[in-house]
Amino acid sequence: MPALLELEEAYSRIRRDPEFKKELAGLLKDYVGRPSPLYFARHLTEALGGPKVYLKREDLNHTGAHKINNTLGQGLLAQRMGKKRVIAETGAGQHGVATATVAALLGMECDIYMGTEDIRRQRLNVIRMKLLGARVIPVESGSCTLKDAMNEAIRDWVTNVRHTHYVIGSVAGPHPYPRLVRDFQSVIGQETRAQMRQQEGRLPDCLVACVGGGSNAMGLFYPFLKDQVRFIGVEAAGHGIDSGHHSATLVAGEVGVLHGACSYLLQDPWGNIREAHSLAPGLDYPGVGPEHSYFKETGRAQYVAINDQEALEGFKLLSRTEGILPALESAHAVAYVQKAAGEFKPGELVVINLSGRGDKDVEAVAELVEAQ
Amino acid sequence: MKKINAMFKRLAARNEKALIPYITAGDPDLDTTRGLVLEMARRGADLIELGIPFSDPLADGPTIQAACQRALRQEVNLPKIIDLVRALRRETDIPLVLMGYYNPILSYGLDRLARDAAQAGVNGFIIPDLPGEEARDWHRAACDAGVAPIFLAAPTSGPSRIRKIGALTRGFLYYVSVTGITGARAGLPEDLKTALAEVRTLIKCPLAVGFGISTPEQVRDLAPLVDGVVVGSAIVQRLACRTDAAVVREIGDFVAELKAPLR
């Protein structure tokens, strides 16, 4: 708790510091490569025959996903707080890579917790983290995936809190993390606003993003909070909601408390946390950011679920129509628009957040396609 | 709640300190837990903490994580633990405190749990992932039902928070000896004694220390500074993967060894 209070205090002070803002903006531009393009996906639009689809190209960021927006912000924050070491949990490995990258850039020690199941599924990202100078610590407890990695990271943090900053990768966990991560990811929505105005002369009608913990979705949604823009968050239905093997926390979970936040959770009748499942490791989390739960309760956003097979179809569709391999996580958002294309009015402007690139998933997808 | 207060008063009058052993309920099964509680009560325990197994025990090290997993495989849950306490109350009067994470407690329902637990004979709850700042509803529910909401303070808490926690907690204040998780350690932090002496000046309620305390020597070392000492992982470790009848007596022997320096 004192560590969280310290972080909250430091963040509320540092976020207004002009030097901090300048350094972050400079690195986002020259190091990450922002602004990321808002690309009109002409061929995908033609193939779907419904809405006019734009892709927010977070996959083109340095390290290949939206995660770096947050790790850069938190890295600079940690540096100003005098922390010498950063730790992180990772599922798909994207957040781990983004944290290891920033640690290398800022000269900080870095340990990444990763479930052994994810280490197996995301071999390439493990190699990348090691090349960047991070230690990858395998987590063998529980389901050996993201939630267990987060448990271990929290245990490390409470042990080494005096000199270590915990870089949470999503809008989840205890306050102030959901807010901090939302703020650092909001650059996605801010750019999208300006880019859409420039390209179409108006705001989009609908924003679609995948939701595991929910940081890429929140980053896209939040700057449109007060606008007449629909938000659709796409969760992972895994083998199907009825199978019980899914990660659809908002669609099929109940309210509870995990990792210091009150939010929707996958849990059994006694309040134990259930294992989540998705072929996309970055969605494999039995909780979700508390602000998404709030959006669900108020009706501000709609949450839907796409199963493994549909996500794979979305992956193939985008690869073939646009020549873009999406991350399996982002493929869920593509698959939703594919599935629901008929429900959009023709010409409606839809933005899909292409939160990451699919290079990391190529082996897994090839295996799945062959198996079929 | 009253039972805990009375226990500390009784011991203080004899210049004695409380031994507070922890075991995870249902590890390896509920029958053994029942036997262990009775044995530990006979051999010198003054208050017993029963862990509620949870899928994600964030404040616990590998020993208690594994105990939780073993208990969960036996499908142990809060209603079964409350039944166990009800059964134990026919055989022992020792103060019993449940230690568990917030989500199972929330899922049961705060008011309903506090009432059911009090009725069964539970005397208090320790919820390591519920900070005082977020505990208003639970504090009221527990106090209304007469079970003690026991709060923890850590080396990073700082004097002003420790004062607040001291005012909020009932029964005793649980001081966490280390910044970190549960689990036996070879050595305790060098500044622990200074810290305990300072905590003592900040609070009025009894003070117990736990996390990482595993030997009679460590217990002896800390005894003068506190009203009670919690030993958890060192007991759970001795219990791990044992199903033979001798284990209950062996744990009893260990409890007696731990209690000796507290008399």
Side-chain angles (χ1 to χ4, degrees):
Chain A
M1 199 65 201
L4 295 170
L5 298 173
E6 180 197 346
L7 180 61
E8 187 179 9
E9 185 281 318
Y11 178 59
S12 63
R13 182 165 41 82
I14 293 167
R15 62 193 279 263
R16 293 197 199 90
D17 175 7
E19 278 304 308
F20 173 77
K21 285 199 232 176
K22 198 175 141 201
E23 191 177 359
L24 180 57
L27 284 169
L28 285 175
K29 176 172 171 286
D30 298 328
Y31 186 72
V32 177
R34 304 204 71 92
S36 68
L38 182 69
Y39 167 69
F40 170 50
R42 181 184 310 278
H43 309 289
L44 178 65
T45 297
E46 282 166 10
L48 296 178
K52 195 168 178 188
V53 182
Y54 280 82
L55 302 175
K56 180 60 174 163
R57 298 293 308 275
E58 292 299 301
D59 61 317
L60 293 179
N61 291 342
H62 178 45
T63 73
H66 70 292
K67 294 291 186 186
I68 189 105
N69 304 329
N70 168 47
T71 58
L72 205 51
Q74 287 199 44
L76 293 177
L77 181 62
Q79 202 176 41
R80 280 169 170 73
M81 290 173 72
K83 308 286 181 182
K84 306 278 180 237
R85 174 175 176 258
V86 288
I87 57 169
E89 82 295 338
T90 196
Q94 293 301 94
H95 175 57
V97 167
T99 304
T101 299
V102 168
L105 177 71
L106 302 179
M108 296 168 113
E109 196 188 331
C110 179
D111 286 327
I112 305 291
Y113 289 91
M114 190 169 184
T116 49
E117 172 63 15
D118 289 334
I119 287 179
R120 188 186 64 75
R121 291 194 285 186
Q122 302 286 329
R123 206 169 52 88
L124 280 175
N125 273 344
V126 175
I127 299 170
R128 288 167 80 194
M129 286 184 268
K130 288 181 180 166
L131 290 172
L132 290 161
R135 271 203 312 167
V136 178
I137 303 173
V139 175
E140 296 217 33
S141 54
S143 55
C144 310
T145 60
L146 184 55
K147 122 186 125 77
D148 311 286
M150 196 154 172
N151 290 345
E152 274 319 308
I154 290 175
R155 290 181 184 118
D156 180 317
W157 196 39
V158 299
T159 307
N160 301 300
V161 60
R162 288 186 174 104
H163 71 287
T164 296
H165 174 70
Y166 176 20
V167 185
I168 292 188
S170 195
V171 287
H175 178 73
Y177 280 104
R179 176 182 171 196
L180 196 116
V181 178
R182 180 194 75 198
D183 289 355
F184 289 138
Q185 291 295 0
S186 287
V187 65
I188 303 173
Q190 286 155 6
E191 287 176 5
T192 303
R193 246 185 116 81
Q195 289 165 323
M196 195 54 112
R197 276 228 165 96
Q198 200 177 22
Q199 293 180 45
E200 291 282 351
R202 65 182 184 96
L203 293 182
D205 298 297
C206 180
L207 307 173
V208 183
C210 64
V211 175
S215 71
N216 89 80
M218 192 54 75
L220 177 64
F221 294 172
Y222 197 72
F224 294 92
L225 187 63
K226 298 202 173 90
D227 301 306
Q228 293 283 329
V229 177
R230 296 203 310 281
F231 299 167
I232 298 176
V234 185
E235 297 194 299
H239 295 158
I241 301 287
D242 297 336
S243 73
H245 297 280
H246 61 80
S247 305
T249 312
L250 289 160
V251 170
E254 287 162 84
V255 174
V257 170
L258 176 69
H259 296 148
C262 181
S263 194
Y264 277 79
L265 291 179
L266 301 179
Q267 54 183 322
D268 74 10
W270 312 114
N272 289 298
I273 309 307
R274 279 188 203 276
E275 290 178 13
H277 169 83
S278 168
L279 91 160
L283 302 183
D284 222 344
Y285 181 60
V288 66
E291 202 162 10
H292 283 295
S293 293
Y294 176 69
F295 283 178
K296 176 190 157 91
E297 303 245 308
T298 61
R300 180 62 189 92
Q302 181 195 350
Y303 296 92
V304 296
I306 283 292
N307 67 34
D308 287 352
Q309 186 56 42
E310 291 166 333
L312 202 57
E313 294 306 320
F315 181 98
K316 290 190 216 162
L317 176 71
L318 190 67
S319 304
R320 288 183 192 163
T321 54
E322 296 290 348
I324 298 170
L325 304 183
L328 280 173
E329 291 77 16
S330 323
H332 283 72
V334 176
Y336 171 74
V337 175
Q338 180 181 13
K339 190 178 171 184
E343 294 165 26
F344 291 95
K345 291 188 209 107
E348 266 195 302
L349 299 180
V350 172
V351 176
I352 297 174
N353 196 7
L354 205 61
S355 55
R357 60 173 168 248
D359 305 33
K360 70 183 176 62
D361 298 311
V362 165
E363 282 185 346
V365 170
E367 269 177 41
L368 285 166
V369 171
E370 268 169 42
Q372 289 173 3
Chain B
M1 191 142 60
K2 283 184 195 145
K3 211 185 269 263
I4 302 174
N5 298 339
M7 179 272 290
F8 278 112
K9 267 196 195 126
R10 192 177 63 240
L11 293 186
R14 300 201 298 248
N15 201 22
E16 197 179 313
K17 304 297 166 80
L19 176 68
I20 307 178
Y22 165 98
I23 53 173
T24 303
D27 168 34
D29 54 57
L30 285 168
D31 267 350
T32 309
T33 302
R34 181 187 151 274
L36 283 167
V37 168
L38 296 175
E39 175 73 5
M40 292 194 295
R42 262 197 301 273
R43 304 295 298 276
D46 298 292
L47 180 155
I48 293 172
E49 272 184 37
L50 288 176
I52 305 161
F54 181 51
S55 55
D56 296 78
L58 276 175
D60 286 301
T63 304
I64 292 175
Q65 287 176 42
C68 281
Q69 286 301 321
R70 289 192 293 270
L72 287 175
R73 278 199 291 274
Q74 303 288 319
E75 298 185 357
V76 172
N77 52 41
L78 253 174
K80 288 183 187 175
I81 296 170
I82 290 170
D83 285 344
L84 171 72
V85 172
R86 191 176 293 115
L88 278 165
R89 276 292 168 243
R90 289 185 218 114
E91 301 177 82
T92 179
D93 206 31
I94 189 167
L96 293 171
V97 165
L98 302 189
M99 176 156 180
Y101 291 82
Y102 191 54
N103 199 51
I105 287 165
L106 186 67
S107 159
Y108 193 106
L110 304 183
D111 287 302
R112 191 162 76 92
L113 177 62
R115 274 198 311 270
D116 290 357
Q119 224 161 39
V122 172
N123 305 109
F125 277 85
I126 301 168
I127 310 176
D129 61 343
L130 183 67
E133 288 88 339
E134 304 286 342
R136 202 177 54 196
D137 293 347
W138 168 246
H139 194 271
R140 185 193 42 73
C143 289
D144 285 355
V147 292
I150 298 160
F151 287 89
L152 300 98
T156 49
S157 296
S160 84
R161 280 194 88 236
I162 290 178
R163 251 191 226 109
K164 279 186 203 156
I165 299 166
L168 192 67
T169 196
R170 297 289 179 271
F172 61 95
L173 181 131
Y174 189 138
Y175 187 79
V176 175
S177 69
V178 294
T179 53
I181 53 178
T182 62
R185 288 164 173 81
L188 290 167
E190 280 176 24
D191 51 2
L192 176 58
K193 287 188 189 173
T194 328
L196 286 170
E198 195 200 344
V199 173
R200 182 61 104 187
T201 67
L202 299 169
I203 62 169
K204 294 193 184 87
C205 61
L207 169 63
V209 63
F211 280 42
I213 300 165
S214 58
T215 66
E217 291 69 33
Q218 289 171 328
V219 172
R220 182 187 307 280
D221 210 25
L222 296 173
L225 295 152
V226 295
D227 304 295
V229 179
V230 184
V231 179
S233 295
I235 295 172
V236 173
Q237 187 69 61
R238 281 171 167 75
L239 190 58
C241 305
R242 292 274 300 271
T243 48
D244 55 296
V247 72
V248 173
R249 204 175 44 80
E250 282 172 39
I251 299 283
D253 292 345
F254 183 50
V255 163
E257 270 180 67
L258 292 167
K259 176 65 189 184
L262 295 172
R263 289 189 206 275

